[in-house]
Amino acid sequence: MVEAVGRISLDTVLFVIGLVLLAVALVMLVSMVSNFQTGAADQAGVESGTLENPANYAGILGAHLSYYMMNGLFGICSFLIPIFLIQLSMRLIGSLKVNVVKWFLHESVWMVWGSVALAALSQSIESLNSLFVFPLGGGHGLQIYDSLERNVGSVGCIALLIVTLILYLVVLSKRTKEFVRMTTNPTGYLKNNASEEVPPIPQSDATDKPKEKSWWKRLLSTSDEAEDDEPVDTADDAPAPQSPRADTVVMDFTPPHVEKAKPSKPAPPIDTPPEVSTVAPVPITFERPGDDKQAEKNTVGSPVDEQAPYDPRKDLENYRFPRLDLLKVYQDDGITINEQEQRANSERITQVLKNFDVEITRITATIGPTITLYEITPAPGVRISKIRNLENDIALSLSALGIRIIAPIPGKGTIGIEVPNNKPRIVSMESVLNSRTFEQSRYELPVALGKTITNEVFMVDLAKMPHLLVAGATGQGKSVGLNALITSLLYKKHPAELKLVMVDPKKVELNIYASLAKYFIATLPEQEDPIITDVSKVVQTLRSLCKLMDHRYDLLKKAKVRNIKEYNEKFKAHKLNPENGHAFMPYMVIVIDEFGDLIMTAGKEVELPIARIAQLARAVGMHMVIATQRPTTNIITGTIKANFPARMSFKVMSQIDSRTILDRTGANQLVGKGDMLFLSGMSGADPVRVQCAFVDTPEVERICQFIEDQPGYLEPYTLPEVEAEDSGIAAGGSQMNESLDSMFDEVARMIVVEQQGSTSSIQRKFSIGYNRAGRLMDQLCKAGIVGPAQGSKPRDVLITDLGQLDVLLAQLHSN
């Protein structure tokens, strides 16, 4: 029995206390309501102490309780006492989230003030006293009112009540002061405000100053959120919903007989930047400090030498950023706790470890949107490798889709076991973009990817990565991740500050952004489709980007700066002359989907310019995001991996694919549907598990339509023109097709099957002369089937299977 009592958790104790308080509050409420009808019959007996047959519905206890509270304390305002007890009991039970301290303070003020105000009202209107068997303000109200009336009179008492009410409302909201000013002098107030020029607030600015809650909304709020967590208006006519807090739910399941170890100091959050800023601030006025004499000269009418800084947004100064109400709000987008599931999993984990003689001192659960992280603290002397080797046994015990063990958790003295939730919830794009982390970010290219296990918004700066490699099997969320990345940029950047180059070999994934051609898309001259789908155009575009990169570096050299940020600051300050070729440089983000298909059809013609851009383009504001569903070594080569330190991996099918993309296992153990690992590329950094934000196609369509409805540039942003014959295999295919050897297809198939090619092997196997074999080898090299000569070594074979070869041969012969 003693052991059973010792196992009662704190939550159970609070639940029982809540039920008791609820019962007490209901009894009080019933007795006080009954007092309106039965008070006259019970009053004499209560005052004399001889009450035997009470008429009150709550019996003798109810008669005495209602008499004491309504006659002796606060009168009608005494009803706030059982109301508060009901709120407190519901909070303890867990069925209602309410800030108990806030409600206690507010209801205390209303009880004291209300009892005095009702006492003053009953003294002014004597007919009210005949309607009730108790004083309206109770004994407390009458005593305070009598004291005030003797000292300041009835008029002074009423004035004091009005002043205290206004002071209370001023504490709740600053709008009370404006209301008082307008009430006392409406004509002068409107005249003074009309004379001030107030600039319009754009609907699209997601970082406008948070709108203050009115006092009645604050008073009726039942949220546990802090008073400073106010909703943010993103439109003049449509206020955005309040952003949910990124609370970390941690539950302790340590057995009661085990002494709990002190938790380690948590690591600082990864995604919250130290600075606070607004989204793409628009400079309104700029002043240079100077002496008073110079200021006088300027006011008299003398010409001002200093020019206002250049604003690139002036070309589209009426552009409005997309509103948050364009995104869908999901009902289940919140923290849900299934304590029974968490407790059962913790007990199973503890039992499995105990079966293998692994002792632990503490176990806690951190509940995330898709994954729950169980942190265990092993007992002294337990080897970490012993726990890591039990991964399959723990997964079998939990009947989970797949678990991942982090041993140890960086920055903590614990071991983490990530277990999928039975009912994962959706992380909406609206909840991520509506968070303070995103609104106050000062990143150059902010990308909000989703939420971590601790329910914190995960953000990265694409400008600092500087390039991102995305991988994942089909249907695991790769395309949704790209949409989340692009949507983040559209919500933060002005068209004058960002240009996108989109490559989509599948022709359907990124085509939804084609309507943004005159806003955000950069294209080749005379290119009809803003989204590049043709392989020949891909190679030509990449070469054009290389040419643009070289041109930008020349401009940086002339300006004597090292990166695009310094260059643009110098240009805005009018320190660079546009007549010398200088111009404002927008950031450029190159998004390439299905990179594996490009490598399969174009090979080195695509890989080499991508590698060159990845190596050099960071300083001039050009950043690449490439995605593939085939993270194999022949697709993601060593050259690509070396220049793409930041990796984002959704679920893959094997450990080999996980090692290819992340250089470690783990991606094969994800649960899919947006579950991903993000590797920042910093030295010693471990992957961060993130649930990717979900943005559906209708949401992207609404965003693009909102932007398209606004005035845009006359023409899309044009990339430098390059020679068509330098654009790759497709341009040269027509020339090659005229002189292709009749044995070209047969020789190509032999080399791909054997994965080794040399002129001597062709000569020997096909019984042809050396000159003809040499010509065939040159044609194979130009077609991208084999690599360049390496001396005495055989040439590298760039095509890995016959399927790729058939696609390439069909393209060559079609030209």
Side-chain angles (χ1 to χ4, degrees):
M1 179 67 180
V2 176
E3 183 179 358
V5 174
R7 290 182 179 177
I8 297 178
S9 64
L10 177 61
D11 181 72
T12 304
V13 174
L14 295 178
F15 184 83
V16 173
I17 295 176
L19 289 179
V20 174
L21 284 179
L22 182 61
V24 171
L26 292 177
V27 171
M28 293 176 61
L29 198 60
V30 169
S31 66
M32 293 172 67
V33 172
S34 174
N35 189 59
F36 284 95
Q37 297 180 352
T38 63
D42 295 339
Q43 185 170 356
V46 171
E47 291 177 348
S48 62
T50 59
L51 182 63
E52 296 182 356
N53 298 316
N56 193 289
Y57 297 156
I60 296 178
L61 177 63
H64 283 82
L65 187 61
S66 61
Y67 178 83
Y68 173 73
M69 295 183 66
M70 304 185 74
N71 288 67
L73 291 181
F74 304 103
I76 292 180
C77 293
S78 298
F79 275 95
L80 292 174
I81 296 177
I83 291 176
F84 172 75
L85 290 178
I86 291 175
Q87 293 172 332
L88 178 60
S89 64
M90 299 290 280
R91 172 66 173 171
L92 294 175
I93 292 174
S95 58
L96 179 66
K97 290 186 177 181
V98 63
N99 192 325
V100 177
V101 177
K102 182 181 74 173
W103 275 99
F104 175 77
L105 295 176
H106 287 314
E107 293 176 356
S108 299
V109 171
W110 280 109
M111 275 196 304
V112 174
W113 185 89
S115 63
V116 179
L118 289 175
L121 181 65
S122 63
Q123 293 298 322
S124 302
I125 306 175
E126 295 183 358
S127 59
L128 291 176
N129 296 326
S130 60
L131 300 178
F132 303 96
V133 296
F134 57 89
L136 288 178
H140 170 270
L142 286 176
Q143 184 177 359
I144 299 297
Y145 177 76
D146 291 341
S147 177
L148 292 174
E149 189 179 24
R150 286 195 305 270
N151 291 280
V152 298
S154 58
V155 176
C157 181
I158 295 174
L160 187 61
L161 286 172
I162 295 176
V163 170
T164 53
L165 176 62
I166 293 176
L167 291 177
Y168 171 73
L169 296 180
V170 167
V171 173
L172 285 183
S173 174
K174 295 180 180 179
R175 294 185 178 181
T176 306
K177 295 185 294 184
E178 301 298 326
F179 176 77
V180 173
R181 291 168 183 164
M182 185 177 66
T183 305
T184 54
N185 187 10
T187 305
Y189 177 82
L190 295 176
K191 182 178 180 181
N192 293 334
N193 283 272
S195 62
E196 297 179 2
E197 183 180 356
V198 181
I201 301 176
Q203 284 187 333
S204 56
D205 196 347
T207 59
D208 292 340
K209 184 175 180 181
K211 184 177 180 181
E212 184 181 1
K213 280 186 179 179
S214 58
W215 63 270
W216 59 273
K217 284 186 179 180
R218 289 192 180 195
L219 187 60
L220 297 178
S221 174
T222 58
S223 173
D224 272 341
E225 297 176 3
E227 290 292 337
D228 58 350
D229 287 344
E230 305 292 346
V232 178
D233 267 351
T234 58
D236 295 336
D237 54 349
Q242 185 172 353
S243 60
R245 296 180 58 186
D247 293 334
T248 303
V249 181
V250 179
M251 305 177 68
D252 195 342
F253 298 110
T254 307
H257 63 280
V258 178
E259 182 180 359
K260 296 183 180 181
K262 294 183 179 180
S264 303
K265 184 178 180 182
I270 308 170
D271 55 345
T272 306
E275 307 90 359
V276 177
S277 76
T278 58
V279 177
V282 180
I284 301 174
T285 59
F286 293 83
E287 299 180 0
R288 182 179 296 275
D291 55 4
D292 296 336
K293 295 181 179 179
Q294 182 65 30
E296 280 185 1
K297 291 181 181 180
N298 294 339
T299 56
V300 170
S302 59
V304 182
D305 295 334
E306 295 293 338
Q307 298 181 2
Y310 171 76
D311 185 6
R313 299 186 177 188
K314 285 295 183 181
D315 295 336
L316 294 178
E317 58 183 354
N318 295 324
Y319 175 81
R320 294 176 298 145
F321 288 87
R323 302 191 308 264
L324 289 176
D325 58 3
L326 300 173
L327 299 172
K328 183 178 179 180
V329 180
Y330 291 86
Q331 298 298 327
D332 60 343
D333 188 11
I335 303 174
T336 56
I337 303 175
N338 188 341
E339 185 178 354
Q340 183 178 3
E341 175 188 346
Q342 314 306 330
R343 186 175 298 279
N345 287 343
S346 64
E347 291 176 354
R348 292 192 188 102
I349 293 173
T350 305
Q351 186 62 40
V352 171
L353 296 176
K354 186 176 180 181
N355 293 340
F356 290 91
D357 298 328
V358 177
E359 296 294 333
I360 61 173
T361 59
R362 188 170 183 261
I363 179 170
T364 59
T366 304
I367 304 171
T370 306
I371 302 297
T372 297
L373 174 64
Y374 295 90
E375 294 186 47
I376 61 175
T377 304
V382 176
R383 301 176 69 90
I384 294 179
S385 59
K386 192 173 183 180
I387 298 178
R388 187 186 289 112
N389 293 334
L390 297 177
E391 179 176 337
N392 294 332
D393 299 280
I394 297 175
L396 178 63
S397 174
L398 298 176
S399 301
L401 294 175
I403 68 170
R404 195 170 74 102
I405 294 181
I406 310 172
I409 296 178
K412 296 184 178 181
T414 58
I415 297 175
I417 303 176
E418 295 176 347
V419 181
N421 296 335
N422 289 336
K423 294 182 179 180
R425 66 180 180 87
I426 297 176
V427 176
S428 67
M429 198 68 196
E430 186 274 339
S431 66
V432 174
L433 298 186
N434 200 16
S435 64
R436 291 186 178 270
T437 303
F438 183 78
E439 293 169 359
Q440 299 175 354
S441 169
R442 296 188 63 183
Y443 291 157
E444 294 294 330
L445 294 175
V447 175
L449 294 177
K451 292 186 178 181
T452 62
I453 294 178
T454 56
N455 285 285
E456 296 173 345
V457 174
F458 184 78
M459 282 190 62
V460 291
D461 188 1
L462 184 59
K464 292 183 179 179
M465 280 195 265
H467 310 288
L468 178 62
L469 180 61
V470 184
T474 303
Q476 303 304 321
K478 184 174 73 281
S479 297
V480 175
L482 290 179
N483 286 333
L485 183 147
I486 297 172
T487 301
S488 302
L489 296 176
L490 295 180
Y491 266 84
K492 272 288 190 178
K493 305 303 290 184
H494 190 273
E497 301 167 338
L498 172 69
K499 298 299 175 184
L500 301 172
V501 177
M502 296 187 178
V503 178
D504 183 16
K506 287 170 62 176
K507 305 180 181 181
V508 293
E509 293 293 344
L510 301 178
N511 190 53
I512 191 173
Y513 300 101
S515 59
L516 304 181
K518 295 184 179 180
Y519 303 89
F520 289 98
I521 306 297
T523 62
L524 291 172
E526 300 180 358
Q527 178 180 326
E528 297 180 359
D529 191 357
I531 309 300
I532 306 167
T533 57
D534 188 8
V535 177
S536 62
K537 293 293 184 181
V538 173
V539 179
Q540 190 175 355
T541 301
L542 292 175
R543 292 183 178 274
S544 177
L545 290 171
C546 291
K547 187 175 180 180
L548 176 62
M549 177 185 68
D550 295 334
H551 175 68
R552 286 191 170 190
Y553 267 112
D554 292 337
L555 294 179
L556 262 61
K557 180 182 177 182
K558 292 180 182 179
K560 298 181 180 180
V561 294
R562 300 180 59 184
N563 54 56
I564 185 175
K565 187 175 182 180
E566 297 176 3
Y567 179 88
N568 284 337
E569 289 177 354
K570 216 169 183 180
F571 185 83
K572 289 180 181 179
H574 300 285
K575 296 181 180 180
L576 300 175
N577 191 352
E579 295 181 358
N580 296 332
H582 293 289
F584 181 82
M585 293 185 186
Y587 282 94
M588 301 203 67
V589 177
I590 302 99
V591 181
I592 301 178
D593 195 13
E594 297 300 336
F595 178 68
D597 183 72
L598 293 181
I599 291 293
M600 209 170 68
T601 55
K604 293 291 182 180
E605 295 291 335
V606 168
E607 183 180 355
L608 293 179
I610 285 179
R612 187 165 182 265
I613 294 173
Q615 289 171 354
L616 301 175
R618 172 182 182 177
V620 293
M622 299 170 64
H623 307 277
M624 301 195 70
V625 179
I626 63 176
T628 179
Q629 63 181 357
R630 296 180 56 196
T632 56
T633 53
N634 61 319
I635 301 298
I636 304 177
T637 61
T639 305
I640 296 296
K641 290 181 63 176
N643 294 290
F644 284 77
R647 324 276 177 75
M648 190 167 72
S649 178
F650 294 88
K651 181 177 177 61
V652 295
M653 294 297 104
S654 65
Q655 291 187 4
I656 298 177
D657 292 344
S658 178
R659 291 185 183 276
T660 302
I661 182 68
L662 297 176
D663 296 325
R664 68 198 75 194
T665 60
N668 56 305
Q669 298 169 319
L670 301 176
V671 297
K673 295 183 179 180
D675 189 19
M676 70 177 184
L677 291 174
F678 182 85
L679 184 63
S680 63
M682 298 177 60
S683 178
D686 289 320
V688 180
R689 194 161 188 175
V690 180
Q691 177 61 38
C692 183
F694 179 71
V695 52
D696 204 359
T697 301
E699 299 176 66
V700 179
E701 290 177 347
R702 289 195 294 268
I703 295 172
C704 294
Q705 186 62 44
F706 179 84
I707 297 175
E708 187 182 3
D709 291 341
Q710 306 180 49
Y713 296 103
L714 296 178
E715 297 292 338
Y717 186 88
T718 305
L719 297 174
E721 188 174 1
V722 293
E723 297 295 333
E725 58 266 22
D726 294 335
S727 60
I729 61 166
S734 59
Q735 300 175 1
M736 291 180 57
N737 191 29
E738 297 176 358
S739 58
L740 280 180
D741 195 284
S742 59
M743 300 181 65
F744 180 86
D745 293 2
E746 190 177 357
V747 172
R749 294 181 186 280
M750 183 272 294
I751 289 179
V752 171
V753 170
E754 295 184 359
Q755 287 295 300
Q756 185 175 4
S758 63
T759 304
S760 59
S761 63
I762 298 175
Q763 182 183 7
R764 183 174 59 255
K765 292 190 177 182
F766 291 92
S767 302
I768 59 177
Y770 183 84
N771 292 335
R772 187 179 181 184
R775 286 196 303 270
L776 279 167
M777 184 58 69
D778 292 339
Q779 292 175 3
L780 292 170
C781 182
K782 290 181 181 180
I785 298 176
V786 297
Q790 301 179 1
S792 60
K793 296 181 180 179
R795 297 179 184 238
D796 293 333
V797 181
L798 306 180
I799 303 298
T800 57
D801 55 56
L802 293 177
Q804 298 180 27
L805 179 63
D806 292 336
V807 174
L808 180 58
L809 293 177
Q811 186 176 4
L812 289 174
H813 293 305
S814 64
N815 293 327

